Amino acid sequence: MSGAGEILVVGLGPGPEFWRTPEASAALERATDLVGYQPYLARCPERPGQMRHGSDNRVELERARLAIDLASAGRVVAVVSGGDPGVFAMAAAVVEAVEADAAARHLSVTVMPGVSAMQAAAARLGAPLGHDFCAISLSDNLKPWTLVERRLRAAAAGDFVVALYNPASKARPTRIFDAFDLLRNVKAGSTPVAFARAVGRPDERIVVTTLAEADPSIVDMATLVIIGSSESRLIDRPGGTPWILSPRQAGGGAA
Amino acid sequence: MSGAGEILVVGLGPGPEFWRTPEASAALERATDLVGYQPYLARCPERPGQMRHGSDNRVELERARLAIDLASAGRVVAVVSGGDPGVFAMAAAVVEAVEADAAARHLSVTVMPGVSAMQAAAARLGAPLGHDFCAISLSDNLKPWTLVERRLRAAAAGDFVVALYNPASKARPTRIFDAFDLLRNVKAGSTPVAFARAVGRPDERIVVTTLAEADPSIVDMATLVIIGSSESRLIDRPGGTPWILSPRQAGGGAA
């Protein structure tokens, strides 16, 4: 293999091809190698001669190092993530791996953004992120749970809409209950809540409820949770799931 | 005009066609009418017979009502926003207008997500949003400035990465200075800061600096500002703008 290697950090979007950017699709065509978590590779079209390097979850840094090795050998490597690689996905691991490897600093690295899960969920829900919001990963693999708690409290103190990523896994099935317990102590029970699972995929399921009535046991790792601000409200839709509106106009009411 | 009208709330993405989803492009082809802020309409391909209804900035609700009127008359109306319509854009205005109009509740309304400005900026910057973050609009047209201050303080208290939308306008040129003054009192001067203007467009300009050294006078309404967490760090790139990495691993250090 000759030529200059490259790393393309590609966001596949939430699932369906109609939510994948043309830039991402072109990268999947051009790459000589695809590197990623196995279920994301399965979403990429098969191309003759293209090598696939699938891996398990939770090995982001190893995956990034493999991409560096391949690109250093002259390959054009697409590192694929669901959603946006910059939002709780592979961009941080690739940048971290390049930082740690002086030779890799000279590689061409291009991050290609994508539609993230909270945006797909928001599209189905009307306008839940219509105002200031924050995004928090509930995963405590790489940060202490006390930091998650601090951020949930700060999000409530700032009366932000909150999008929760990675709300559950086999390794930490109870964290979403801890998070809801914390939020129920600092936000009104009437606050709108949505559980948006696998939006855009065949097994999409959306539940709209309130903080008081929400049952966090329905979440899994494919679920994105949205919790409103004090101004967010439910709007009934004839024959459909209610919308959540976080209005543009805000009065600054207490959380 | 016969047939059932529809409203398609379309996100054009940050600018270039390669960042526009196929769903959004198909909507622009299918629509009989385009409604939007004039500069966004200018980004849409011309189609024979398609009507364009351009408007000024800051008239989101009038624009949404026009879309309802047209759809009620059987038209297929694409309401276009830059970026993602769910992030500081037209989805909230359309949902609000539909809520206020009982007859409009029966209209088909589809929100189509897009890549938002913070994601395009993040792609250029490596991985500045690689960890928990929040998005705050500095516009105080529709909310009191005290609420913006409350959210900036909460974002610092939670040690979030912060993406600032709408950092400046003719009507409020000094707000970005107020925001930086506030943040400088509660975050370290070494905190990485990026000003990412018009990312993906011909007049793209990116400045990476620190909170202590940042000059907010360079922002305009096309600028997205990113301010790191206490863990974010700058990484030099040979011959390029430094990256900002907000690492996946976080220790829970003080803001």
Side-chain angles (χ1 to χ4, degrees):
Chain A
M1 186 79 197
S2 64
E6 276 184 74
I7 298 179
L8 313 172
V9 188
V10 177
L12 299 178
E17 263 193 66
F18 59 78
W19 280 344
R20 181 187 302 164
T21 68
E23 181 186 47
S25 294
L28 298 181
E29 280 189 36
R30 190 160 72 82
T32 60
D33 295 73
L34 302 187
V35 169
Y37 177 43
Q38 197 66 58
Y40 298 137
L41 291 189
R43 288 195 205 161
C44 303
E46 295 277 354
R47 309 232 174 251
Q50 194 176 54
M51 300 284 295
R52 287 170 175 248
H53 310 268
S55 54
D56 279 346
N57 207 349
R58 289 200 186 196
V59 290
E60 291 85 358
L61 210 50
E62 286 168 45
R63 217 182 279 148
R65 288 188 195 120
L66 172 62
I68 288 174
D69 289 346
L70 291 165
S72 300
R75 314 283 298 180
V76 177
V77 187
V79 178
V80 302
S81 289
D84 183 330
V87 177
F88 308 121
M90 282 301 295
V94 170
V95 168
E96 189 182 334
V98 169
E99 181 190 32
D101 180 345
R105 295 277 188 110
H106 296 270
L107 286 172
S108 167
V109 178
T110 308
V111 180
M112 301 181 173
V115 171
S116 188
M118 67 181 164
Q119 298 169 287
R124 289 287 196 267
L125 292 163
L129 306 178
H131 214 282
D132 304 325
F133 64 92
C134 54
I136 301 175
S137 169
L138 284 197
S139 170
D140 59 350
N141 288 337
L142 294 168
K143 65 184 168 191
W145 181 252
T146 50
L147 181 58
V148 177
E149 289 179 324
R150 173 181 167 192
R151 287 187 172 146
L152 290 170
R153 283 185 212 287
D159 198 23
F160 286 98
V161 176
V162 180
L164 296 179
Y165 281 75
N166 304 319
S169 75
K170 282 181 190 163
R172 46 183 186 285
T174 65
R175 288 313 196 188
I176 186 68
F177 293 93
D178 298 338
F180 268 72
D181 284 348
L182 187 159
L183 291 172
R184 281 174 173 142
N185 279 323
V186 287
K187 292 176 74 83
S190 58
T191 304
V193 167
F195 299 106
R197 185 182 184 286
V199 174
R201 302 201 292 277
D203 49 345
E204 172 174 327
R205 187 179 65 163
I206 295 182
V207 173
V208 174
T209 178
T210 62
L211 188 57
E213 296 187 354
D215 173 12
S217 71
I218 68 171
V219 308
D220 62 15
M221 282 305 269
T223 307
L224 188 286
V225 183
I226 295 181
I227 299 149
S229 74
S230 69
E231 315 247 4
S232 303
R233 56 187 190 256
L234 296 175
I235 300 175
D236 283 330
R237 294 281 296 161
T241 308
W243 274 338
I244 300 177
L245 171 62
S246 300
R248 304 165 310 131
Q249 188 112 34
Chain B
M1 187 78 197
S2 63
E6 277 184 72
I7 298 179
L8 313 172
V9 187
V10 177
L12 297 180
E17 265 193 65
F18 58 76
W19 280 344
R20 181 187 301 163
T21 68
E23 181 186 49
S25 295
L28 297 181
E29 280 189 35
R30 190 160 72 82
T32 60
D33 295 72
L34 301 187
V35 169
Y37 177 41
Q38 197 66 59
Y40 297 137
L41 290 189
R43 287 195 206 163
C44 302
E46 295 278 354
R47 309 229 174 253
Q50 194 176 54
M51 301 285 294
R52 283 166 179 252
H53 311 268
S55 54
D56 279 345
N57 208 349
R58 289 200 186 197
V59 291
E60 291 85 359
L61 211 52
E62 288 166 44
R63 216 181 281 146
R65 287 188 196 119
L66 172 61
I68 288 172
D69 289 347
L70 291 165
S72 300
R75 313 284 295 180
V76 177
V77 187
V79 178
V80 302
S81 290
D84 183 330
V87 177
F88 307 121
M90 284 299 296
V94 169
V95 168
E96 189 182 334
V98 169
E99 181 190 32
D101 180 345
R105 296 278 188 108
H106 297 271
L107 285 172
S108 166
V109 178
T110 308
V111 180
M112 299 180 174
V115 172
S116 188
M118 67 180 165
Q119 298 171 286
R124 289 287 195 267
L125 292 162
L129 306 178
H131 213 282
D132 304 326
F133 64 92
C134 53
I136 301 175
S137 169
L138 283 196
S139 170
D140 58 350
N141 288 338
L142 294 167
K143 64 184 168 191
W145 181 252
T146 51
L147 180 58
V148 177
E149 290 179 324
R150 172 180 168 192
R151 287 187 174 149
L152 290 170
R153 282 185 213 286
D159 198 22
F160 286 98
V161 176
V162 180
L164 296 180
Y165 282 75
N166 306 317
S169 75
K170 283 180 192 166
R172 45 181 188 288
T174 66
R175 287 313 197 188
I176 186 68
F177 294 92
D178 298 338
F180 268 72
D181 285 348
L182 187 157
L183 291 172
R184 281 174 174 144
N185 279 322
V186 288
K187 291 175 76 83
S190 58
T191 304
V193 167
F195 298 107
R197 184 181 184 285
V199 174
R201 304 201 292 276
D203 50 345
E204 170 173 329
R205 188 179 63 162
I206 295 183
V207 173
V208 174
T209 178
T210 62
L211 188 56
E213 295 187 354
D215 172 12
S217 72
I218 67 172
V219 308
D220 63 14
M221 282 306 268
T223 306
L224 188 285
V225 184
I226 294 181
I227 298 149
S229 73
S230 69
E231 315 245 4
S232 302
R233 55 186 189 256
L234 296 175
I235 300 174
D236 283 329
R237 294 282 295 163
T241 307
W243 274 338
I244 300 177
L245 171 62
S246 299
R248 304 166 307 132
Q249 187 113 31

